[in-house]
């Protein structure tokens, strides 16, 4: 009986394990894996449909015949008359010419196939478009009607039609299509009924006309200017006149028309207050020269006599002339220039003094600083010095130039210039301007340009340009993660601490290094390197534990910005150091939340399914044990019942005997 109970217990445990394995397989399938039966079924279905070798029906392939696209339909020519040789009769001409267009026409035998067909009432009319601009009709419209009437034509008939047209002056050169409309009546004798049948038809024929030049009213102008100084190949070599201040000079300029025919031409010298551009004394208000016509390719000599100014300086001077004219009926203008040479020119014997920026200061909220942080506003205080020992600098104007300063800009509501009324000889003065570093400025030194304009006592203007260097830095922020200790924490021995480092700032962290302290020693600081904005790294620090017991060690992180400024961040790590050989050595990894241990949570004991299986097995064993004990008790009760009946029977017999 005990043997049967054990067998039942083992059978129950086996059923529990099978049930648990089935549940696990169903969980695996629920996560996306396909059972083998389903894969087999799908493959079988595909095989039946694809090659027809399965149990399912096999569908025969259906092939559609491609359409026959080789049939070519050739339409009939609808024109009753056709041109016999239009290319040989294509005329050419220039605007103003009268060109003759000849239309040699023949009867289309496909349209009139026999002598019983006749073409009557034939009228040929030029097909003048409704829009009669020169873009599509290059002829002058002179006659009210240009229709031509032809005699009757039949099978094998030919005819020539002549039209004379005058090419318009508004036409531009090019090739133009000229179309003609033909109206006629087709007459045919009907042999069956003995009657005649008539039909009115209209069709068009066309030729091409070539215009080889632009008309005088076409409006086409030369884009680079018609009037230019003639080259040496046209007029020979022309020397540059040499003169000096106070003398008269005659300019002879050969000018050629490189465009079309010109009308109403006017040439005027360009007068300027700058003696380097116009070094002459102006004695008249009407310096222009006019020409009624100027033919294409014609060369004219333009002459001007000027007196050289007494203040003309030495050097070559370019004298510009401007011309206006009408070309092909459209107004246009052009410019050309010539040169002269001035010797023994006027020399200025006075000059302005030297003014310069001596130094500058940066004030942020009233406190002087050596540089700017990105996004920070500052007051730029410039110290300007007059280097002259005798002249006073007047009307000193200071301008900031941000062309080479991508990281700097003006403060909102401020200006880029400052004004100083005067600076005494050898003296200094200050000027303030508002600037700011852009939020996205790169860290480092940026160059700011400063321009100075001033005058001396004789109103002679002087200029100076300088550059100053302003350091810009981005806000630095290094975030330190939770340190992790690897290896045993034994006093006097080495260990490794891993420290996560994240650059949360907008600037690059340079020369990052880690120093261990407070119970930790290291031969030298651990060098990490540079960390880009948004970058992260983990520093492995080799240390020696110098204290005993539980204590907090310090990790000091030092780094620099682009300007060399030093920053420091500190974090602490909890340590529990023991003596060597004490038996309590920490052989596992530790961090701030876990001191010691073997890391069992990373093994099989940290898996939830392990504990679930263990709980099911424990419940099954407990249930089996209870059932076994219950069965055993039941069996003992069953075994004791016959003995009780025998005892009761013996007692009854004894009572009967006593009564007797």
């Amino acid at each position: 009986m005990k043997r049967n109970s054990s067998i039942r217990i083992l059978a129950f445990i086996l059923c529990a394990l099978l049930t648990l394995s089935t549940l696990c397989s169903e969980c695996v399938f629920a996560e996306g894996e396909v059972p083998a039966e389903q894969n087999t079924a799908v493959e079988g279905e595909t095989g039946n449909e694809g090659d027809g070798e399965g149990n399912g029906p096999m569908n025969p392939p259906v092939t559609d015949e491609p359409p026959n696209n080789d049939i070519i339909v050739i339409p009939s020519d609808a024109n009753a008359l056709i041109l016999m040789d239009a290319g040989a009769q294509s005329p050419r001409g220039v605007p103003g010419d009268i060109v003759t267009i000849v239309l040699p026409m023949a009867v289309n035998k496909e349209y009139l196939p026999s002598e019983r067909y006749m073409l009557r009432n034939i009228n040929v009319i030029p097909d003048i478009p409704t829009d009669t601009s020169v873009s599509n009709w290059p002829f002058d419209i002179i006659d009210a009607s240009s229709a031509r009437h032809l005699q009757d034509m039949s099978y094998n008939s030919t005819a020539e039609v002549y039209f004379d047209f005058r090419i318009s002056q508004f036409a531009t050169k090019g090739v133009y299509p000229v179309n003609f409309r033909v109206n006629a009546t087709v007459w045919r004798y009907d042999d069956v009924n003995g009657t005649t049948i008539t039909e009115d038809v209209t069709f068009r024929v066309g030729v091409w006309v070539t215009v080889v030049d632009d008309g005088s009213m076409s409006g086409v102008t030369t884009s680079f200017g018609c009037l230019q100084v003639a080259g040496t190949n046209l007029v020979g070599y022309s020397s540059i006149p040499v003169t000096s201040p106070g003398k008269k000079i005659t300019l002879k300029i050969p000018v050629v028309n490189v465009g079309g025919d010109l009308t109403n031409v006017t040439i005027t010298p360009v007068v300027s207050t700058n003696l380097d551009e116009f070094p002459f004394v102006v004695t008249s208000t009407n310096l222009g020269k006019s020409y009624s016509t100027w033919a294409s390719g014609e060369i004219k000599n333009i002459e001007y006599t000027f007196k050289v100014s007494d203040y003309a300086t030495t050097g070559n001077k370019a004298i510009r002339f401007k011309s206006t004219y009408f070309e092909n009926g459209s107004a246009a203008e052009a410019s050309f220039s010539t040169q002269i040479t001035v010797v023994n020119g006027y020399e200025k014997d006075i000059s302005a003094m030297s003014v310069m920026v001596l130094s500058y200061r940066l004030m942020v909220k009233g406190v002087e600083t050596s540089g700017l942080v990105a996004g920070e506003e500052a007051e730029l205080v410039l110290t300007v010095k007059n280097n002259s020992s005798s002249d006073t600098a007047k009307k000193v104007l200071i301008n900031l130039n941000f062309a080479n300063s991508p990281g700097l800009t003006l403060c909102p509501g401020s200006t880029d210039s400052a004004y100083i009324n005067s600076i005494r000889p050898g003296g200094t003065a200050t000027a303030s301007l508002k600037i700011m570093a852009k939020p996205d400025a790169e860290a480092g030194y940026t160059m700011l340009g400063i321009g100075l304009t001033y005058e001396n006592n004789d109103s002679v203007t002087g200029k100076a340009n300088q550059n100053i260097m302003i350091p810009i830095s981005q806000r630095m922020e290094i975030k330190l993660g939770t340190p992790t200790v690897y290896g045993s924490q034994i006093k006097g021995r080495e260990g490794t601490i891993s420290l996560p480092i994240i650059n949360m700032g907008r600037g690059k962290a340079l020369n990052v290094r880690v120093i261990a302290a407070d119970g930790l020693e290291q031969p030298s600081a651990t060098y990490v390197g540079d960390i880009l904005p948004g970058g992260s790294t983990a520093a492995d620090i080799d240390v020696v534990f110098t204290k005993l017991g539980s204590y907090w060690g310090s990790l000091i992180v030092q780094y620099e910005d682009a300007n060399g400024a030093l920053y420091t961040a500190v974090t602490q790590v909890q340590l529990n150091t023991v003596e060597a050989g004490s038996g309590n050595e920490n052989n596992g990894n530790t961090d701030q939340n876990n001191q010691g241990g073997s890391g069992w949570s990373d093994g099989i004991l940290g898996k939830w399914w392990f504990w679930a299986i263990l709980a099911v097995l424990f419940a099954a064993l407990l249930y089996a044990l209870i059932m076994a004990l219950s069965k055993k008790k039941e069996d003992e009760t069953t075994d004791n019942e016959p003995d009780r009946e025998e005892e009761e029977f013996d007692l009854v017999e004894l009572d009967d005997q006593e009564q007797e």
Side-chain angles (χ1 to χ4, degrees), residues 54-113:
N55 297 326
M58 181 177 65
N59 297 326
V62 178
T63 304
D64 294 335
E65 295 183 0
N68 186 5
N69 297 325
D70 297 333
I71 301 175
I72 300 176
V73 178
I74 303 176
S76 176
D77 193 349
N79 291 352
L81 296 176
I82 58 176
L83 295 179
M84 291 188 296
D85 191 5
Q89 303 297 329
S90 178
R92 301 166 61 90
V94 298
D97 289 350
I98 295 178
V99 296
T100 300
I101 298 177
V102 182
L103 302 178
M105 293 187 294
V107 172
N108 187 357
K109 295 181 180 181
E110 184 180 356
Y111 203 93
L112 302 178

Side-chain angles (χ1 to χ4, degrees), residues 294-588:
W294 199 320
S296 177
E298 183 182 1
I299 299 175
K300 294 182 182 290
N301 291 314
I302 311 300
E303 291 189 5
Y304 277 97
T305 301
F306 296 110
K307 179 183 178 181
V308 181
S309 173
D310 294 335
Y311 295 96
T313 57
T314 301
N316 293 327
K317 314 294 180 182
I319 314 301
R320 295 179 60 247
F321 292 86
K322 179 181 179 182
S323 61
T324 60
Y325 48 84
F326 283 86
E327 181 183 10
N328 294 331
S330 180
E333 64 178 25
S335 62
F336 57 90
S337 62
T338 187
Q339 292 81 29
I340 67 169
T341 301
V342 178
V343 297
N344 300 323
Y346 174 76
E347 299 291 341
K348 297 179 181 180
D349 55 358
I350 57 175
S351 60
M353 75 293 292
S354 172
V355 176
M356 60 176 291
V357 175
L358 186 62
S359 61
Y360 77 93
R361 292 179 298 156
L362 290 172
M363 306 295 293
V364 178
K365 297 180 180 180
V367 179
E368 184 174 355
T369 180
S370 59
L372 295 179
V373 179
E376 191 175 52
E377 298 182 1
E379 180 181 6
L380 177 63
V381 181
L382 300 175
T383 301
V384 184
K385 181 180 180 181
N386 179 8
N387 293 318
S388 175
S389 60
S390 57
D391 289 342
T392 300
K394 298 180 179 180
K395 301 179 183 180
V396 181
L397 182 63
I398 304 171
N399 292 297
L400 299 181
N401 183 7
F402 294 94
N404 298 321
S405 307
L408 293 175
T409 186
L410 290 172
C411 292
S414 61
T415 180
D416 63 347
S417 60
Y419 181 79
I420 300 175
N421 187 33
S422 63
I423 305 176
R424 62 180 178 82
T428 59
T430 59
S432 299
L433 299 103
K434 295 285 188 178
I435 62 173
M436 68 174 294
K438 295 181 180 179
D440 58 347
E442 295 184 1
Y445 285 88
T446 185
M447 184 172 60
L448 177 61
I450 301 175
L452 300 174
T453 304
Y454 48 89
E455 295 180 1
N456 63 3
N457 294 329
D458 296 326
S459 298
V460 178
T461 302
K463 295 182 179 180
N465 293 293
Q466 289 181 251
N467 295 313
I468 60 175
M469 303 300 293
I470 297 178
I472 297 178
S473 60
Q474 283 283 355
R475 299 186 184 276
M476 305 296 294
E477 181 182 357
I478 289 293
K479 182 179 179 181
L480 304 179
T482 302
T484 302
V485 182
Y486 296 100
S488 302
Q489 302 179 27
I490 303 175
K491 181 180 178 181
R493 294 186 181 179
E494 292 185 355
T496 302
I497 302 176
S498 178
L499 176 63
I501 304 175
I502 304 174
N503 186 359
M504 304 291 289
R506 302 185 66 175
K508 185 178 181 181
L510 306 175
N511 300 326
V512 181
R513 58 250 186 210
V514 183
I515 302 173
D518 297 337
L520 300 173
E521 287 185 356
Q522 58 184 159
S524 61
T526 301
Y527 183 77
V528 179
D530 301 338
I531 304 177
L532 296 173
S536 62
T537 186
D540 293 331
I541 310 158
D542 296 330
V543 298
V544 177
F545 304 102
T546 60
K547 288 185 179 181
L548 187 64
S550 179
Y551 61 93
W552 290 90
S554 298
L555 299 177
I556 304 171
V557 179
Q558 295 180 345
Y559 54 97
E560 302 172 3
D561 62 9
N563 297 318
L566 183 64
Y567 299 83
T568 302
V570 180
T571 188
Q572 291 186 324
V573 55
Q574 187 176 6
L575 302 171
N576 188 12
T577 307
V578 299
E579 290 283 359
S582 63
N584 296 324
E585 297 179 2
N586 183 11
N587 296 324

Side-chain angles (χ1 to χ4, degrees), residues 63-344:
T63 304
D64 294 335
E65 295 183 0
N68 186 5
N69 297 325
D70 297 333
I71 301 175
I72 300 176
V73 178
I74 303 176
S76 176
D77 193 349
N79 291 352
L81 296 176
I82 58 176
L83 295 179
M84 291 188 296
D85 191 5
Q89 303 297 329
S90 178
R92 301 166 61 90
V94 298
D97 289 350
I98 295 178
V99 296
T100 300
I101 298 177
V102 182
L103 302 178
M105 293 187 294
V107 172
N108 187 357
K109 295 181 180 181
E110 184 180 356
Y111 203 93
L112 302 178
S114 68
E115 294 289 348
R116 291 186 176 274
Y117 288 82
M118 187 72 69
L119 196 63
R120 295 177 175 177
N121 301 325
I122 305 172
N123 294 303
V124 182
I125 305 170
D127 193 4
I128 302 176
T130 303
D131 179 12
T132 57
S133 64
V134 295
S135 61
N136 51 18
W137 186 258
F139 307 115
D140 292 331
I141 300 177
I142 301 175
D143 300 329
S145 176
S146 299
R148 299 288 188 270
H149 179 73
L150 303 181
Q151 295 180 355
D152 297 347
M153 301 179 69
S154 62
Y155 189 78
N156 287 332
S157 296
T158 62
E160 290 185 352
V161 184
Y162 293 84
F163 289 91
D164 291 333
F165 295 105
R166 184 174 63 194
I167 301 177
S168 174
Q169 292 293 343
F170 291 94
T172 59
K173 60 182 176 181
V175 180
Y176 296 85
V178 182
N179 297 318
F180 296 87
R181 185 175 70 253
V182 181
N183 300 324
T185 300
V186 179
W187 178 89
R188 179 173 63 87
Y189 180 75
D190 189 356
D191 293 332
V192 177
N193 298 321
T195 59
T196 59
I197 300 174
T198 60
E199 178 188 3
D200 294 334
V201 295
T202 300
F203 53 91
R204 286 175 172 79
V205 294
V207 296
W208 299 88
V209 174
T210 302
V211 180
V212 297
D213 200 359
D214 297 322
S216 61
M217 301 299 293
S218 62
V220 177
T221 59
T222 306
S223 60
F224 54 83
C226 291
L227 299 182
Q228 303 291 334
V229 176
T232 56
N233 59 325
L234 298 177
V235 296
Y237 178 76
S238 298
S239 60
I240 297 177
V242 179
T243 184
S244 59
K247 292 184 178 181
K248 288 187 177 183
I249 184 175
T250 299
L251 299 178
K252 295 182 179 180
I253 311 166
V255 180
V256 62
N257 179 10
V258 296
D261 292 340
L262 307 180
T263 58
N264 300 328
V265 181
T266 301
I267 298 177
T268 307
V270 179
V271 180
S272 173
T273 57
N274 189 346
L275 292 178
D276 289 333
E277 298 176 356
F278 193 79
F280 308 120
V281 178
V282 179
T283 58
S284 177
T285 58
N286 53 343
L287 298 176
K289 295 182 181 294
S290 299
Y291 303 89
S292 59
T293 60
W294 199 320
S296 177
E298 183 182 1
I299 299 175
K300 294 182 182 290
N301 291 314
I302 311 300
E303 291 189 5
Y304 277 97
T305 301
F306 296 110
K307 179 183 178 181
V308 181
S309 173
D310 294 335
Y311 295 96
T313 57
T314 301
N316 293 327
K317 314 294 180 182
I319 314 301
R320 295 179 60 247
F321 292 86
K322 179 181 179 182
S323 61
T324 60
Y325 48 84
F326 283 86
E327 181 183 10
N328 294 331
S330 180
E333 64 178 25
S335 62
F336 57 90
S337 62
T338 187
Q339 292 81 29
I340 67 169
T341 301
V342 178
V343 297
N344 300 323

